[in-house]
Amino acid sequence: MALLVAVGCSTPPSADRPATQPVTGTITLNGAPVEGATVTFQPIDASGKAAVGLTDSAGKYALTTFESNDGALSGSYKITVIKTEAPAPSSGDATGEYVPPEALGPEARPAAPKNLFPEKYATTQSSELTATVKDGANTIDLPLEE
């Protein structure tokens, strides 16, 4: 019995997953690399799985489906790109004393994060960005304009 349990546990959990492909690229806006942008590849086919990446200081990203930096599944995607700036959290009242966020009135609560990127890239409905991930390594650069 112990041998059967040990054999059953030796099968890697990813053995039944579809193969993912490495996807990297560079995001620029008006020719300049964009640091801290989130790029999302949303599958056009409902049976697919979304993949996400975050750009570094050179605007470079690598996609993952959050299963060990694995890339993306082969297929066609709509692409969104956002870069947000979260407002500073409120941690006190006018006297500087700490006030729990739930005790703050609506006017004192922090605003929602602000998108610093052109809105046309923010949703799959407004973004015209598309790409096809093929078997093997994929380089998908996104030279964006305002």
Side-chain angles (χ1 to χ4, degrees), residues 1-12:
M1 176 88 161
L3 181 58
L4 289 176
V5 171
V7 170
C9 291
S10 67
T11 304

Side-chain angles (χ1 to χ4, degrees), residues 6-55:
V7 170
C9 291
S10 67
T11 304
S14 61
D16 58 346
R17 290 190 312 140
T20 54
Q21 311 305 320
V23 180
T24 59
T26 302
I27 297 177
T28 57
L29 182 61
N30 299 326
V34 179
E35 179 178 12
T38 301
V39 59
T40 304
F41 280 51
Q42 188 67 39
I44 293 173
D45 177 0
S47 66
K49 188 172 194 172
V52 179
L54 182 66
T55 58

Side-chain angles (χ1 to χ4, degrees), residues 29 79-81 117-123 126-127 129 144-145:
L29 182 61
I79 303 170
T80 60
V81 182
F117 230 63
E119 287 298 320
K120 65 183 176 182
Y121 300 117
T123 68
S126 61
S127 177
L129 302 172
L144 308 178
E145 300 291 328

Side-chain angles (χ1 to χ4, degrees), residues 62-143:
L63 292 183
T64 181
T65 61
F66 297 106
E67 296 183 26
S68 71
N69 290 330
D70 57 346
L73 298 173
S74 297
S76 297
Y77 293 86
K78 288 278 286 185
I79 303 170
T80 60
V81 182
I82 62 168
K83 179 177 177 177
T84 58
E85 174 182 74
S90 176
S91 61
D93 63 10
T95 66
E97 292 185 29
Y98 176 77
V99 177
E102 60 274 5
L104 297 172
E107 67 283 346
R109 291 189 184 131
K114 178 182 176 186
N115 183 13
L116 303 175
F117 230 63
E119 287 298 320
K120 65 183 176 182
Y121 300 117
T123 68
T124 56
Q125 292 79 22
S126 61
S127 177
E128 295 179 0
L129 302 172
T130 60
T132 300
V133 174
K134 299 179 179 172
D135 290 349
N138 294 264
T139 300
I140 301 172
D141 294 330
L142 299 170

